[in-house]
């Protein structure tokens, strides 16, 4: 069974500013965690510390805003803390109007099924993650 959390919000920022808040470690530290290390490319490492808790992971997909495309900007990464199964976080940015962007956040936890059947899962460590 897949666990899923989904939220959609309107941000008072254009899509380029909202994108910076998703990929820049200094901006991420303002709203997501106290301390952030984030490599914004596929396969890049990610580490988020909030208080005594730490989540580590890797970037799966990164599609920055493109003014010549109708496709929304998208960032997907995996993260977990010690002892918990990894979850996938996908953030999608869609421009609404000048100075406003929709952000859709979906977090799913499907890796438990992969762990049960012994399939290798993606990640920087090769054959397994989580």
């Amino acid at each position: 069974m897949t666990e899923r959390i989904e939220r959609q919000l309107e941000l008072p920022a254009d899509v380029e500013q909202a994108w910076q808040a998703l990929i820049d470690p200094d901006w991420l530290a303002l709203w997501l965690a106290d301390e952030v290390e984030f490599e914004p490319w596929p396969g890049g490492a990610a580490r988020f510390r909030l208080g005594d808790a730490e989540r580590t992971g890797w970037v799966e997909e990164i599609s920055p805003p493109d003014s010549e495309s109708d496709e929304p900007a998208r960032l997907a990464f995996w993260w977990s803390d010690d002892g918990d199964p990894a979850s996938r976080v996908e953030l999608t940015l869609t421009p609404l109007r000048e100075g406003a962007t929709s952000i859709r956040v979906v977090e799913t936890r499907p890796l438990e099924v992969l762990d049960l059947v012994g399939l290798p899962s993606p990640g920087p460590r090769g054959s397994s993650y989580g």
Side-chain angles (χ1 to χ4, degrees), residues 46-99:
R47 186 180 71 79
F48 308 90
R49 187 187 56 75
L50 182 60
D52 292 335
E54 182 174 276
R55 290 185 171 204
T56 58
W58 59 279
V59 176
E60 175 187 319
E61 176 189 354
I62 187 159
S63 300
D66 181 355
S67 61
E68 297 184 21
S69 171
D70 290 335
E71 292 296 315
R74 185 180 346 274
L75 170 65
F77 62 90
W78 292 83
W79 67 356
S80 73
D81 44 1
D82 282 339
D84 285 338
S87 62
R88 182 179 188 267
V89 178
E90 181 178 336
L91 302 113
T92 305
L93 299 176
T94 306
L96 297 174
R97 61 188 172 280
E98 188 172 331

Side-chain angles (χ1 to χ4, degrees), residues 10-18 27 95-102:
E10 183 176 319
L11 303 175
D14 63 37
V15 73
E16 288 79 15
Q17 290 171 317
W27 285 46
L96 297 174
R97 61 188 172 280
E98 188 172 331
T101 301
S102 169

Side-chain angles (χ1 to χ4, degrees), residues 23-37:
I23 66 162
D24 183 289
D26 293 333
W27 285 46
L28 283 165
L30 294 173
W31 66 272
L32 183 59
D34 298 329
E35 186 179 310
V36 176
E37 293 175 20

